[in-house]
Amino acid sequence: MSNPIRLVIFGRQGAGKGTQCARLVERFGVAHISTGDMLRGAVAEGTELGLKAKAVMDAGDLVGDDIMVGIVRERLAQDDAQTAGFVLDGFPRTTAQAEALTLILGDDSLHAVVDLDVPIEEVTVRMKARGRDDDTDEGIARRLELYEQETRPVLDWFASRDLLVTVDGFDEEAVVSERLFAAIDDRL
Ligand code: AMP
């Protein structure tokens, strides 16, 4: 059995992260761990966590670090993540979460943290084309601004630990996947 692969992926909304995560799952057999999906699942099920998280998510704020770290710790302990490895999507969102993740992983450090880079102008065009209710000009601008504010320090944190790889995500899906695979293979 091959060793587990430990990845984190970052990317603006509209950068194609969902599609590329599916391809990473196919290529590397990793578990896709999206904290946003887990929280939405908890909201849909009406669990205690879901009830707490809903108001925070609706306001566009971040769920508390303690809660998020607890969820991710439990998820990473499950068999699939332990055996095949994982790609974390949506976590860590703060440097405190990044530090906690490092402690959880201990000696099993991350192989790579990938930033799927697509220019703001392009993701704006893609989101407008998608035409979701919250994809107004203001809504799009606000979410992109928040992404910069929230995420830049976390990317810097990983860059200073030599873990960050920026992959040009502005191309056809399959081309971007090949770039991603090559960048990750390089780190394994
Ligand atoms: P996402 O689908 O990753 O954009 O996540 C949707 C929402 O879930 C975010 O706007 C946050 O409110 C919450 N959330 C997801 N992941 C995290 C995290 N790592 N830390 C705090 N809040 C999170």
Side-chain angles (χ1 to χ4, degrees):
M1 167 96 29
S2 56
N3 290 329
I5 298 171
R6 294 176 291 273
L7 307 169
V8 177
I9 190 162
F10 285 95
R12 297 187 175 97
Q13 280 189 325
K17 210 155 42 100
T19 309
Q20 295 301 336
C21 278
R23 290 178 180 242
L24 291 178
V25 168
E26 252 175 53
R27 170 74 159 71
F28 295 106
V30 290
H32 177 207
I33 302 181
S34 155
T35 46
D37 284 351
M38 291 169 79
L39 291 172
R40 281 183 287 275
V43 170
E45 283 171 29
T47 63
E48 201 186 323
L49 165 68
L51 295 176
K52 269 196 226 163
K54 185 170 187 326
V56 179
M57 292 168 76
D58 283 349
D61 290 332
L62 291 181
V63 176
D65 287 336
D66 288 352
I67 294 181
M68 294 312 302
V69 169
I71 294 174
V72 169
R73 187 196 305 278
E74 271 183 31
R75 182 64 189 85
L76 290 178
Q78 289 174 12
D79 282 351
D80 57 346
Q82 289 286 320
T83 313
F86 55 83
V87 54
L88 273 170
D89 167 6
F91 182 98
R93 280 279 226 288
T94 64
T95 47
Q97 292 178 11
E99 276 161 12
L101 176 63
T102 304
L103 287 178
I104 291 170
L105 295 177
D107 291 338
D108 299 329
S109 67
L110 292 167
H111 291 100
V113 174
V114 181
D115 182 22
L116 190 59
D117 189 37
V118 176
I120 290 196
E121 301 74 35
E122 172 64 14
V123 293
T124 306
V125 171
R126 290 185 193 176
M127 279 193 262
K128 280 188 185 157
R130 194 167 73 167
R132 229 167 56 178
D133 279 357
D134 56 345
D135 287 340
T136 58
D137 287 354
E138 279 146 38
I140 291 169
R142 170 86 187 124
R143 292 203 303 275
L144 288 174
E145 183 190 309
L146 261 181
Y147 180 82
E148 292 305 320
Q149 281 172 5
E150 267 178 32
T151 309
R152 192 55 50 193
V154 187
L155 289 179
D156 291 346
W157 192 93
F158 282 119
S160 72
R161 282 156 185 81
D162 253 353
L163 283 167
L164 187 69
V165 194
T166 301
V167 171
D168 179 1
F170 189 14
D171 224 315
E172 301 204 355
E173 279 171 25
V175 175
V176 174
S177 299
E178 288 307 320
R179 272 184 205 141
L180 263 178
F181 297 165
I184 292 166
D185 280 334
D186 228 32
R187 294 278 173 148
L188 298 179

